[in-house]
Structures are given as structure tokens and as C-alpha cells.
Amino acid sequence: NFCVPHAPPANWTGARIDPSRLRFHVVGDWGRDGWCCQTDVAREMATAVEAVGDTAFVVNTGDNFYPGGVRTARDEQWATSWRNVYMQYA
């Protein structure tokens, strides 16, 4: 595993978000099979949801499935590179 866990900067106080506004996440090039920092991102997304409330939706900007994309809605990569990584914190 070549990923180094990242800690927030010492002066980080968290995101300041007006709870009356729409809450969503934007993520792209999210990695593969939970490698490297993908799990860190999933954990931080869950922390943000705990802090501000439910997320209405996630915007996926693309560049996510390697090496050749997904073939169907039942492709194994939906589980290994999305569901098994992000849903563990849901």
C-alpha cells in the first residue's frame, strides 16, 4: 500500500456551511478498489455529513473506472470501487 494517511492542517477548524443550504458532494477521479487516498476521501465525506446533516446527492465528475471502464450496471467495479469503499461509512 503506497498511500500515506493525511491529517488536516493544524489550524483546520472544519467547513463552515449554512445548514439551510443544499448539501452535496462532488467527487471525480476517485481511485480504484479503495487504494491510496480513496478511503481517506470516503471517511472525510462521512465526517462532513455528520457535521452538517444528510447529503442530498453526489456529483460524479468522471474518470473513475480503470483500466477500461464498466461494461454494465452490474459490473464488479461498482462494488469494489464505489459501494464497498463509500457505503461502509454511510
Side-chain angles (χ1 to χ4, degrees):
N1 187 348
F2 60 87
C3 183
V4 176
H6 296 91
N11 62 348
W12 174 253
T13 59
R16 290 177 179 80
I17 300 170
D18 180 349
S20 67
R21 296 187 178 194
L22 179 64
R23 293 173 296 273
F24 61 95
H25 291 282
V26 177
V27 63
D29 195 10
W30 64 45
R32 182 173 182 192
D33 299 332
W35 293 353
C36 194
C37 302
Q38 186 182 20
T39 303
D40 293 340
V41 170
R43 191 174 19 257
E44 289 302 318
M45 287 171 70
T47 299
V49 169
E50 287 178 19
V52 301
D54 286 339
T55 298
F57 57 90
V58 176
V59 175
N60 172 4
T61 62
D63 196 21
N64 303 305
F65 295 106
Y66 302 98
V70 293
R71 294 179 185 256
T72 71
R74 296 179 190 268
D75 191 293
E76 181 181 348
Q77 286 194 72
W78 285 110
T80 62
S81 290
W82 175 257
R83 193 175 308 111
N84 296 351
V85 177
Y86 295 94
M87 294 305 292
Q88 69 179 316
Y89 298 103

